[in-house]
Amino acid sequence: MRAPLTLLLAALAAPIFVASSLSWGPDPSAAIAAQELVHRNGGHVGSAICRDCHEDHYTSWRRTHHAQMTQRPGADNVRGVFDGRVVRYEGQEARPFRDGDRFLIDVPTTNAEAHGRRIAEVALMVGSRRYQQYFERQQRGDSVAFVRLPILWHIEQQRWLHLNTVFLGPDDANWHAHAATWNENCIFCHNTAPEPRARNNAARAGALPQFDSEVAELGISCESCHGPGAEHARAHQSPLVRYVGAGDGAEAAAKNPSRFDQERAVSVCGQCHGARLPNPLARVRDWFHSGPTYRVGDKLLEHVTPIERDTKVLSGDPEQYSLRFWGDGTARLSAYELQGVLASPCYQQGTMTCQSCHSMHTGDPHGQLRPDRPGNQLCTQCHETIAKDVRAHTHHDPAGSGSSCVECHMPKIVYGVLEIHRSHRIELPDPARDAETARPHACTLCHTDRTLPWAAQQMQQWWGPKFRTPVQRADRAPLAVPDAIASLHAGDAAVRAVYAAAIGRATTAPAATDTVAQRAHLAVAMGDGYPSVRWLAQRSLQQLEQRAPIGLAELLHGIDSMAGPQPRRDAVFATLDGIAHKAGNRLMPPTTGALLGTDLRLDLPAVIRLTDLQGRNVISIGE
């Protein structure tokens, strides 16, 4: 409520009030700025200053995972259990433990010295929703680097995992394969106003990179989305400005993305949610010194070039970028949401922005979807004609997942650290395209007992001949085999992971009581050479068992998908035997083409022929 103007004028007349209006006492950001890693360059002041006037927005932001993205370790924010229990993987082990207020991990020194060990202290943490990663502080001469330690804590499953098992790659005995350096990697998107300040020490052969890195704030804070706040905060120190109102210049200093045009609004989120390179590329040295040149309110594409499937790799693996996309150019790795949005007709031909669906200060922090537009309303806010008769458009029950806009037009086909996420490229399902480009198909992600030709026939019946019937799969699997089963065995690791996760979802068809074949094929996938595929296959089996139990819960609970080859092999055959012996009286018989006999035993030679189609297509995709 504004103060009455007469009272305000009286207060302004008092000398003591005038004096106090010039300064509100010690700057709370000063002590923070004195800490290691924190700067106050470019007009940044930190979220503590914003809180003075915007307590409600500050509180709602603190609830989000953005706020907790990067943190220093403390008793109240370390999610991992540092209790001394050993974590084993590929013949080596780590031991997380505490020493008072210190969080430590006993790790192998190098892969060449399997018996050498050292104690690493956690100095920095990244992540707070699905997992939490840990970084140690390394002194490099008179500079400091933060290097990722080899195990992370999976929050949902409440267990430790080796980093090699969470990214999309095969088992790897190299315990330090993912020892990324925070200063040249995570710093860019998991913090506010990053300045890596890499030193140019290339002349010293074999020398490790050195850094004097600083950020305006650890984590993704107010100024990440609203821009530097110093001018805005300075203008609002005066009670006259607070009560009577700021001028246009002071208001403009604090940018509100909801008032931006479409391109600038999407740019705010795209600065992190879209893997990119500097534009022009010659800016890369500046990036690794003073940080990205984009500032809130700019057009992002004037500063960066989004990475695409055909982006040239200057050095290293020539498939480094192409493997992150499906054959048609759709992203299949998380952190490429910008690429999906820019390729969507809702953006190209409409007015869609990130805020059409997401809200930064309201709703569930998991996904931050707008609570005022639940379910299909995110889409029908524009597609009003469809909203009037959903069944006429979908040919499915309006209350079921078959009428969910996002399940058909934004399917879950994106891999990201042991989870499959929703694609941000809004598009039409196309069975022929998906068969030819070896990517998952929206219809068979739900109808896991159906083939791609079946999907094409249904789409032609409902929506016309523009949907072609596929004549060949890119993975060369028989079209007569259900797509989910063929993809689970014959596809590359990304396809296998997507279908391993899809088969267990509560939204999929057929019903859990009709999934005897799917369970048997998931059991085989628990022996996959990629730990992420094994993890998702076991999770799907457990989900099916919860909805339609056949007596395998205890067996599945005791299986460790990250164990060695022999325990994994034993688990596969024990699960197959369990399904054959227990499912007969509890589950419906298998459908035609599912490669499962009436005795509920798999046609293993046929399954092996499918797995042989994987060939030598070994892929490894980090972050």
Side-chain angles (χ1 to χ4, degrees):
M1 178 182 296
R2 294 194 177 205
L5 184 58
T6 52
L7 293 178
L8 179 61
L9 292 175
L12 289 175
I16 189 170
F17 192 94
V18 173
S20 68
S21 72
L22 300 177
S23 173
W24 289 98
D27 179 357
S29 71
I32 298 175
Q35 299 177 11
E36 181 186 44
L37 291 180
V38 178
H39 71 71
R40 284 293 177 259
N41 302 330
H44 290 90
V45 294
S47 58
I49 294 295
C50 306
R51 183 179 188 177
D52 287 345
C53 298
H54 303 285
E55 179 68 38
D56 54 344
H57 286 87
Y58 178 90
T59 301
S60 62
W61 162 72
R62 287 298 305 174
R63 292 176 56 243
T64 71
H65 295 285
H66 284 108
Q68 305 163 50
M69 187 57 67
T70 305
Q71 303 175 88
R72 292 182 172 88
D76 60 341
N77 61 7
V78 173
R79 305 298 295 271
V81 177
F82 286 73
D83 60 359
R85 282 183 285 183
V86 169
V87 181
R88 295 183 175 86
Y89 175 69
E90 288 289 315
Q92 297 198 63
E93 60 185 42
R95 186 174 65 88
F97 65 100
R98 286 188 65 169
D99 180 10
D101 293 332
R102 301 166 67 210
F103 295 86
L104 309 168
I105 305 179
D106 181 349
V107 295
T109 50
T110 67
N111 295 289
E113 304 170 289
H115 300 292
R117 307 200 64 80
R118 66 186 184 85
I119 305 297
E121 181 174 358
V122 175
L124 211 59
M125 309 182 302
V126 172
S128 66
R129 178 181 175 183
R130 294 182 178 88
Y131 61 91
Q132 190 171 70
Q133 302 180 42
Y134 303 98
F135 293 73
E136 67 171 329
R137 185 182 192 275
Q138 283 188 2
Q139 194 73 36
R140 297 179 179 176
D142 61 347
S143 75
V144 172
F146 293 86
V147 179
R148 183 162 57 188
L149 293 168
I151 60 174
L152 61 72
W153 180 256
H154 195 281
I155 295 171
E156 178 186 348
Q157 293 294 322
Q158 290 289 291
R159 63 166 291 180
W160 290 98
L161 293 170
H162 193 278
L163 286 170
N164 292 2
T165 69
V166 301
F167 300 118
L168 197 59
D171 287 298
D172 187 348
N174 178 359
W175 259 57
H176 303 284
H178 291 282
T181 303
W182 177 87
N183 309 65
E184 59 185 359
N185 189 328
C186 320
I187 189 173
F188 285 106
C189 281
H190 296 304
N191 303 279
T192 302
E195 295 184 7
R197 299 183 195 167
R199 298 183 183 179
N200 184 10
N201 62 342
R204 298 167 51 197
L208 290 172
Q210 295 184 323
F211 305 91
D212 300 305
S213 304
E214 288 187 339
V215 298
E217 192 156 357
L218 293 173
I220 302 159
S221 66
C222 312
E223 291 169 301
S224 294
C225 301
H226 297 287
E231 182 181 344
H232 177 76
R234 186 162 45 249
H236 283 76
Q237 275 189 320
S238 164
L240 181 62
V241 172
R242 289 194 184 192
Y243 284 89
V244 177
D248 292 340
E251 287 301 323
K255 298 177 173 63
N256 186 341
S258 65
R259 299 174 184 170
F260 289 170
D261 61 48
Q262 184 186 33
E263 183 177 358
R264 287 181 170 85
V266 169
S267 295
V268 175
C269 302
Q271 65 176 307
C272 287
H273 289 275
R276 62 227 171 275
L277 295 173
N279 178 22
L281 194 57
R283 281 179 173 172
V284 68
R285 287 185 179 275
D286 294 335
W287 264 41
F288 282 96
H289 180 70
S290 54
T293 55
Y294 166 80
R295 296 294 180 266
V296 174
D298 292 350
K299 293 182 177 181
L300 181 64
L301 298 187
E302 294 179 354
H303 297 264
V304 307
T305 301
I307 293 172
E308 302 289 352
R309 190 172 190 271
D310 58 356
T311 297
K312 292 183 179 180
V313 179
L314 298 181
S315 63
D317 182 0
E319 294 186 306
Q320 179 181 355
Y321 297 142
S322 62
L323 287 176
R324 303 178 185 189
F325 300 85
W326 299 111
D328 68 340
T330 302
R332 65 177 184 177
L333 191 66
S334 58
Y336 285 75
E337 291 81 12
L338 174 67
Q339 283 85 334
V341 169
L342 296 182
S344 299
C346 296
Y347 176 83
Q348 295 175 345
Q349 303 164 28
T351 59
M352 184 188 75
T353 69
C354 305
Q355 293 187 68
S356 298
C357 300
H358 297 280
S359 174
M360 297 300 100
H361 290 284
T362 58
D364 187 344
H366 291 65
Q368 296 187 241
L369 294 174
R370 292 184 56 161
D372 60 327
R373 292 174 180 164
N376 282 349
Q377 290 183 37
L378 293 173
C379 300
T380 58
Q381 60 177 300
C382 295
H383 299 277
E384 297 176 353
T385 302
I386 292 174
K388 293 175 182 177
D389 190 350
V390 172
R391 186 186 293 274
H393 174 72
T394 67
H395 300 277
H396 286 72
D397 177 3
S401 60
S403 288
S404 168
C405 304
V406 293
E407 294 298 339
C408 295
H409 302 291
M410 299 177 66
K412 291 186 176 181
I413 60 172
V414 175
Y415 182 86
V417 191
L418 291 182
E419 190 54 87
I420 306 300
H421 308 272
R422 202 167 291 291
S423 172
H424 276 64
R425 181 176 185 174
I426 302 172
E427 58 183 351
L428 294 177
D430 187 334
R433 175 205 64 196
D434 297 340
E436 293 162 0
T437 58
R439 58 161 277 182
H441 178 64
C443 300
T444 57
L445 283 170
C446 177
H447 296 278
T448 60
D449 58 339
R450 299 294 189 169
T451 67
L452 286 172
W454 169 87
Q457 182 181 23
Q458 293 298 120
M459 296 178 74
Q460 290 161 7
Q461 177 182 334
W462 292 335
W463 299 300
K466 64 181 178 180
F467 295 102
R468 295 178 293 119
T469 300
V471 296
Q472 186 176 2
R473 295 174 59 103
D475 57 21
R476 295 172 290 131
L479 283 167
V481 176
D483 183 37
I485 291 173
S487 298
L488 185 64
H489 299 311
D492 74 7
V495 184
R496 302 200 305 272
V498 168
Y499 277 98
I503 292 173
R505 291 194 193 108
T507 56
T508 56
T513 52
D514 298 334
T515 56
V516 61
Q518 285 89 335
R519 297 186 199 212
H521 289 287
L522 285 170
V524 173
M526 287 202 307
D528 199 279
Y530 282 66
S532 51
V533 176
R534 299 195 301 265
W535 170 279
L536 294 168
Q538 181 177 354
R539 188 181 72 179
S540 278
L541 270 171
Q542 290 171 319
Q543 290 168 338
L544 291 171
E545 181 68 15
Q546 289 170 0
R547 297 201 299 278
I550 62 173
L552 292 183
E554 185 176 351
L555 171 64
L556 293 172
H557 180 73
I559 294 173
D560 184 359
S561 62
M562 305 306 175
Q566 189 58 48
R568 298 201 303 265
R569 184 179 185 277
D570 293 343
V572 168
F573 284 101
T575 305
L576 287 172
D577 286 342
I579 292 169
H581 289 126
K582 296 175 181 289
N585 296 326
R586 295 180 174 88
L587 300 180
M588 298 295 291
T591 56
T592 303
L595 308 181
L596 194 71
T598 55
D599 60 353
L600 305 188
R601 295 286 182 178
L602 280 176
D603 181 352
L604 286 179
V607 172
I608 291 171
R609 286 194 294 272
L610 287 175
T611 59
D612 285 345
L613 295 175
Q614 295 174 21
R616 299 182 179 276
N617 184 21
V618 177
I619 67 175
S620 183
I621 308 174
E623 287 182 289

